[in-house]
Amino acid sequence: MSDTIKISFAPLSAPVSGLLVCLVGDDMALPQVESLPASAGALLGRAAAQDGFKGKSGSFLDIIAPEGLAASRLIAAGIGKSADWKELDVIRLGGAICARLPDAANEASVVLATASGPLSADEAADLALGLRLRFYSFDRYKTKKKDGDTGSRKRSVTLLVADEKAARKAFKAREAVADGVDVARDLVNEPPNVLFPTEFAKRAGDLARLGVDVEVLNEKDLKKLGMGALLAVGQGSARDSHVVVMRWEGGKDGEAPVCLVGKGVCFDSGGISLKPGEGMQDMKGDMGGAAAVVGAMHALAARKARANVVGLIGLVENMPDGNAYRPGDILTSMSGQTIEMINTDAEGRLVLADVLWYAKDRFKPKAMVNLATLTGAIIVALGQENAGLFSNNDEVAKALTEAGLTTGEKVWRMPLSAEYDKLIDSQFADMKNTGGRYGGAITAAQFLQRFVGEIPWAHLDVAGTAMNSNKGDINRSWGAGWGVRLLDRFVADGYER
């Protein structure tokens, strides 16, 4: 059962069919367009008085279409004071409208104008993006339908706009980003018996059709490189570990790239330090950082971003086995630094340590950003509304913060300092892989910092956001695809020429 939504653009004067959605502000005035007869305003006024609808942002009023309107029903979408709109507000409005459309409605038209005038092409494209993001669901493994479920949902939404050509052009880039978000969502939602490291690497290889150069390093390659930390995590699994390198070269020839690095633990049992059974099924999503990187690379390539970007993901399974690594083991990372194992459930930082060092050493990037579902401690600190941001560079931190505010994928900067660094010093090796209970998200970031050198770098701990089950007004299914739009905006605002 697959869900599809077709979004098209037409002039404000175009005929309508199916449901008709109009934007209504707190002045309760309908837009002046040909598709709305004079009787519509009067009917809306009477229905609004009965229902208490006042055009407040986020509110809706559904009424039978008045005589003279070709549509079957009229839905008024409250927008409050439209002059106060920001980009994110319009995206959320699109998501809210999509959520309001009944499943049985195969066709709908949305008039993108208010009483004060039509929406701009960019606003129309943002609203279309919200529609796309909200429509997603993941039910490919359901074989039985609920009562009244007809199977796949197919919907056609026509957006009536002032400048059809400009809106369509503006949506093209946003559609590429929406596709990237859906790629990441699908990866997070897949079960771990389907999406193990080799299969994940294969799916990342699909980016080649968009012009991305994809290189898959196998265990033989990783051993030759000396990735002892990453390989140790996967040695208890029957599945091979991989590192995937995805290169998009849309910038100037020879210009240093931006590197995006993702933790890809396709299933995390905790290893010998076994996790509790309750909730362990969600550990299929411990590759949310890698999923976001693949989704971002898809978005950047599909919209032909004018920047050089390299995405790198470390793909492993952390499983208990007679060959699994143990607490007390001392590992040698690719950097040559040694790491004492305190807890085998602090595995993501080991994967990232080797991939970050490899990215730094091979590509000498102008900046690096890694994403990882790294610690439960960041959820305790920030809940599921913000990702934890740790950085050695104020400019990178500021750019990510601003990108987060624009896209709604918000980050909150956390501290790094030598005092915390002492917590991961080891008596027997160069460092421990965990610093204990206090400041757990911070000591994890301090650990990663030892593998980035002087490269401007940021670590995003996305444990609370990448696996957020809150459906909200834009997302509709578990696995939010969090980070794709953030990374795309970060690159667009700071590194595209």
Side-chain angles (χ1 to χ4, degrees), residues 19 94 102 128 134 171 219-220 251 299 328 355 375 415 432 439:
L19 292 173
R134 181 60 176 80
F171 180 55
E219 288 200 348
K220 183 179 179 181
V355 181
T375 68
K432 300 182 292 187

Side-chain angles (χ1 to χ4, degrees), residues 144-497:
K144 296 182 179 179
K145 297 187 277 289
K146 296 178 181 178
D147 292 343
D149 188 354
T150 59
S152 64
R153 297 185 309 143
K154 298 185 185 299
R155 180 166 294 154
S156 176
V157 179
T158 303
L159 303 181
L160 307 182
V161 296
D163 191 333
E164 178 185 356
K165 184 177 179 180
R168 188 178 295 112
K169 180 180 179 181
F171 180 55
K172 188 174 182 180
R174 290 164 174 82
E175 188 171 32
V177 175
D179 288 341
V181 173
D182 284 352
V183 165
R185 286 168 164 172
D186 283 349
L187 290 169
V188 171
N189 284 325
E190 285 283 10
N193 61 315
V194 172
L195 194 76
F196 45 89
T198 301
E199 174 63 19
F200 197 131
K202 179 182 176 183
R203 296 198 188 189
D206 292 343
L207 292 173
R209 64 184 174 82
L210 295 175
V212 178
D213 180 70
V214 182
E215 178 184 2
V216 179
L217 305 179
N218 59 29
E219 288 200 348
K220 183 179 179 181
D221 299 322
L222 303 181
K223 288 174 183 175
K224 187 175 180 180
L225 288 166
M227 291 195 181
L230 182 150
L231 286 168
V233 177
Q235 72 187 38
S237 172
R239 312 284 194 179
D240 284 350
S241 300
H242 298 283
V243 169
V244 181
V245 181
M246 301 157 282
R247 301 180 67 176
W248 170 253
E249 297 181 338
K252 296 179 181 178
D253 290 343
E255 185 176 35
V258 176
C259 282
L260 309 176
V261 179
K263 169 191 170 184
V265 179
C266 296
F267 186 78
D268 180 21
S269 69
I272 297 296
S273 306
L274 193 67
K275 291 179 179 290
E278 184 180 356
M280 194 189 286
Q281 70 277 2
D282 287 346
M283 288 301 100
K284 69 176 186 175
D286 207 20
M287 30 58 69
V293 169
V294 173
M297 294 303 295
H298 181 108
L300 292 165
R303 69 173 183 79
K304 306 298 181 187
R306 295 177 297 175
N308 294 334
V309 185
V310 181
L312 303 98
I313 54 176
L315 304 175
V316 302
E317 273 190 340
N318 186 24
M319 299 291 285
D321 178 80
N323 193 46
Y325 72 129
R326 299 158 291 259
D329 284 358
I330 293 180
L331 311 177
T332 302
S333 67
M334 184 183 174
S335 70
Q337 298 176 89
T338 56
I339 309 165
E340 179 191 2
M341 294 302 99
I342 303 300
N343 188 319
T344 64
D345 195 25
E347 86 297 330
R349 65 203 69 183
L350 303 176
V351 174
L352 289 173
D354 279 342
V355 181
L356 285 168
W357 186 270
Y358 177 74
K360 173 187 77 72
D361 196 48
R362 177 178 174 184
F363 297 107
K364 298 174 176 53
K366 60 176 66 176
M368 288 197 299
V369 179
N370 73 256
L371 291 85
T373 50
L374 208 63
T375 68
I378 202 65
I379 305 177
V380 174
L382 299 177
Q384 295 185 300
E385 302 304 318
N386 290 266
L389 164 64
F390 302 83
S391 183
N392 63 1
N393 184 276
D394 290 342
E395 290 184 6
V396 169
K398 180 181 178 183
L400 284 166
T401 300
E402 291 176 351
L405 291 173
T406 300
T407 61
E409 297 185 337
K410 297 178 291 184
V411 300
W412 191 267
R413 193 170 186 183
M414 303 286 284
L416 289 171
S417 71
E419 289 78 13
Y420 292 108
D421 208 42
K422 293 177 182 178
L423 297 174
I424 57 171
D425 286 341
S426 167
Q427 180 181 356
F428 305 107
D430 295 327
M431 69 194 84
K432 300 182 292 187
N433 76 322
T434 178
R437 180 178 180 184
Y438 299 123
I442 300 171
T443 53
Q446 297 285 164
F447 180 95
L448 296 179
Q449 189 176 29
R450 297 190 180 197
F451 298 89
V452 300
E454 299 302 317
I455 300 293
W457 157 80
H459 156 54
L460 298 178
D461 193 335
V462 298
T465 54
M467 297 189 288
N468 192 346
S469 59
N470 178 15
K471 294 181 180 180
D473 53 359
I474 295 177
N475 300 320
R476 190 175 186 273
S477 183
W478 192 92
W482 195 100
V484 174
R485 292 188 294 132
L486 173 73
L487 292 176
D488 177 79
R489 183 57 63 100
F490 172 72
V491 172
D493 288 349
Y495 300 97
E496 285 199 58
R497 55 185 170 85

